Amino acid sequence: MTKQQGGPPVRRAVVSGSTFEERIGYARAVVDGDRVHVSGTTGFDYASMTISEDVVEQARQCLRNIGAALAEAGCTFADVVRVRYLLPAREDFEPCWPVLRRAFGEVRPAATMMVCGLADERMRIEIEVDARRGPVGPGAGLRVEPVAGDAMVEEWRQVHNAVVPPAAMSWEQARERAGRYRLANAYLGDVLVGCSTVRPPEGEERVATVIARVLPAFRGRGIGAALYEAGMAEAEALGAGAVETVVLAANGDGLRFAGARGFVERDRYVLDGESDEWVDLRLAARPS
C-alpha cells in the first residue's frame, strides 16, 4: 500500500501526456492506497496524438495506454478487478474480443459493456479499469529468473540504475558484472519490477553479498522478499558462512527492509570523489 511513513494512504496522480488530460483536467490514473483507478482510455497514441480508424487496433492501443498507466502505478493487468468497455456501436465489440481476452482471459475481472456516445467521433472504443495492488509472490504472477543473455543484462542494468542512480552502470560495466556475480531479474507477469545481485563468498569467513532491488512503484508487495529469499538460497548453495548487503543511505525503504530481516549496520562511508553515503550491513546469524 502506498502510505506516508506512519500516516494514511497517499493519493497520487499518474499522467500520460495526453492533451485531453491537460485540457479537461483529469489524470490517466489515480493511486489511492492499494487501489488504482484508470480513467476511460481511448485508442490514441499519446506520443503523436493520432488514432487508427480500425476498432481492433484502437482496442490494442487502449490496452497499451492502460498497461503503461498500471505499470507507473505499480501494478499490471493481473491486478485488475474491474473493467468497463464503452462503444458507440455494439457491433464493434465482438471483433475486439480476442484482443481483450489476451489481456484479461486469465485475470477474469468483473466487466461491463455499454453502448454510448464518445467524446470524439474518431473514437470507437474506450476502456477503463480498476485494480488493486495486493501482495504477490511466486505462484501469483511473480517470476525471479537468472539473468541470461544481453537483453536480460540490459533489464538488470535499467533497474539497478533506477534504484541506485549514484552508482549507475554503463552497458559494459553491467555485462562485466554478469560475468562475475549471480544476477537475477524479477517480473510481475511480463513487467520488469526488480533485480538482485549475489556476490559469491570470499575471504576466510566466506562472506557473500546479497542485494535485492525493487522499482519504487512496486515496493510493498512482497517482491523484495522473494528476491531476497532467492538470493539467500543462492548464497547458501555457494557455501556462504556469512551474508552482507549494501544500501544507499538515502534509500529508507531498503534500510528498513534489511533491518527487518536481521541485518545490522557495520559501516557508513562515502566513496572518494562522491557525496552519496552508503551503508554496509551484515546478517546477525549465519544463513540456514
Side-chain angles (χ1 to χ4, degrees), residues 143-148 151-160 174 177-178 181-187 192-199 210-214 223 226-232 234:
R143 296 178 289 117
V144 178
E145 298 186 355
V147 168
M152 292 187 73
V153 171
E154 175 58 21
E155 290 178 325
W156 181 92
R157 187 179 78 93
Q158 290 173 7
V159 176
H160 175 278
R177 190 67 57 94
Y181 301 151
R182 307 293 180 92
L183 309 184
N185 290 338
Y187 304 90
L192 177 69
V193 296
C195 75
S196 66
T197 301
V198 177
R199 300 174 186 167
V210 175
I211 305 172
R213 309 175 190 86
V214 179
I223 297 167
L227 279 166
Y228 167 76
E229 289 167 7
M232 289 296 293
E234 184 80 22

Side-chain angles (χ1 to χ4, degrees), residues 31 35 53 61 159 191 205 231:
V31 182
R35 301 288 176 176
E53 295 181 359
Q61 187 63 47
V159 176
V191 178
E205 296 181 87

Side-chain angles (χ1 to χ4, degrees), residues 1-3 8-12 30-36 73 133:
M1 181 180 293
T2 304
K3 290 185 178 181
V10 173
R11 181 183 185 278
R12 177 169 67 88
V30 172
V31 182
D32 186 16
D34 62 355
R35 301 288 176 176
V36 178
R133 299 175 70 253

